Amino acid sequence: MLRDLSHPITGGMPVYPGDPTVHVHAALDLARDGVAVTALRLGSHTGTHIDAPAHTVHGGRTMADVALDELVGEAMVIRMPELRDREIYGWEHLSSLAPVPDRVPAIVVIATGWARWFADSRATRHPALASDAARELVARGMRILAVDTLSPDLTDGSSTDFPVHEVVLGSGGLIVENLCGLEGLPARVRIGFFPLRLAGDGAPVRAVAFL
C-alpha cells in the first residue's frame, strides 16, 4: 500500500514568507482549443519540497547532482508531540521519547503534527529543531532530514539565520519540508521523495510511504 505524504499544489496555496506566490490557471481550454493545458507559476520550494545544498550553501550541489537512489530508502520516524509554538527542541528532548540508535537510516522524519496548521496563520509559528540535534543525527548517518513544518529552523521572514540548514545542507545532505499524512506511520518505513527534474536549489516533490 502507498500513502501520499505531499500537499497538493493549488493556486494561492500557502508558501514560505517571501517566496513566490502560486498561480494555477487554465492556459488552453478543451472545448475551445481541443486540449486542456494548465499554466503554473510557482517557486522551487512550493508545497512539499526538497532543499538541495545550493539552497543555502555557496557552491553547494544542486538537484542535478542528486541521484535517485539517494531519495528512496528506509526512514526512521521520530514523533515529537505536544510541542509549543516556536519551541526549539534539542537532542535531549528528541531522544527522550524513544531511544535513537547509534546508527540511523539515511532518512529521518520528524513528525510534530504541525501539518494540520499548513493553511493556517499558525503555520509560521511551528517548532524547530536545535542545530545540536541536527548535528548529532548527521553524525549518526542521516542524509535526509524530513519535517512536517515549513522549515526545520524557525520561520522568520526577516531572518537569514538557518542553523539546521547550515548543518544538514552544509554536510551535503538534503532537507524535505512540508510533509503531511504522517499519522500512524510505523517507526521504520520505506519512503521515497520524487522531485521535479529541476537542476536548481530545490524542487517540489511527491513524497510517498511504502506500507
Side-chain angles (χ1 to χ4, degrees):
M1 183 171 67
L2 304 179
R3 182 186 297 183
D4 198 333
L5 308 179
S6 350
H7 290 283
I9 293 179
T10 58
M13 69 184 295
V15 296
Y16 190 88
D19 275 14
T21 54
V22 179
H23 298 270
V24 178
H25 67 272
L28 297 177
D29 179 77
L30 184 59
R32 183 187 67 232
D33 304 303
V35 293
V37 174
T38 300
L40 306 173
R41 191 172 74 198
L42 67 163
S44 55
H45 298 263
T46 293
T48 308
H49 67 274
I50 191 165
D51 295 352
H55 181 45
T56 60
V57 178
H58 291 291
R61 63 182 184 144
T62 69
M63 288 306 301
D65 304 314
V66 177
L68 284 176
D69 58 6
E70 292 183 64
L71 301 172
V72 180
E74 183 187 16
M76 179 174 68
V77 180
I78 301 175
R79 299 197 178 276
M80 298 294 296
E82 307 303 326
L83 294 171
R84 301 184 303 275
D85 288 16
R86 301 189 185 280
E87 180 177 353
I88 298 178
Y89 53 97
W91 179 251
E92 184 176 340
H93 191 176
L94 193 74
S95 58
S96 67
L97 300 177
V100 179
D102 292 340
R103 295 298 298 173
V104 300
I107 302 171
V108 174
V109 176
I110 300 179
T112 69
W114 223 260
R116 68 187 183 275
W117 305 112
F118 180 70
D120 189 271
S121 61
R122 194 177 177 185
T124 58
R125 304 198 299 273
H126 63 81
L129 184 65
S131 58
D132 72 295
R135 193 171 294 108
E136 184 63 32
L137 288 169
V138 169
R140 296 186 183 212
M142 181 185 72
R143 300 298 295 161
I144 299 179
L145 171 63
V147 296
D148 58 358
T149 54
L150 288 172
S151 172
D153 290 302
L154 290 176
T155 291
D156 180 350
S158 63
S159 175
T160 58
D161 184 28
F162 303 103
V164 174
H165 283 72
E166 181 179 335
V167 169
V168 179
L169 302 186
S171 69
L174 305 163
I175 294 174
V176 176
E177 297 164 333
N178 291 326
L179 289 177
C180 62
L182 300 178
E183 299 81 6
L185 285 186
R188 294 293 181 108
V189 62
R190 187 170 176 82
I191 289 180
F193 303 112
F194 303 102
L196 293 177
R197 197 171 183 180
L198 302 177
D201 46 74
V205 301
R206 194 72 177 262
V208 179
F210 300 83
L211 300 174

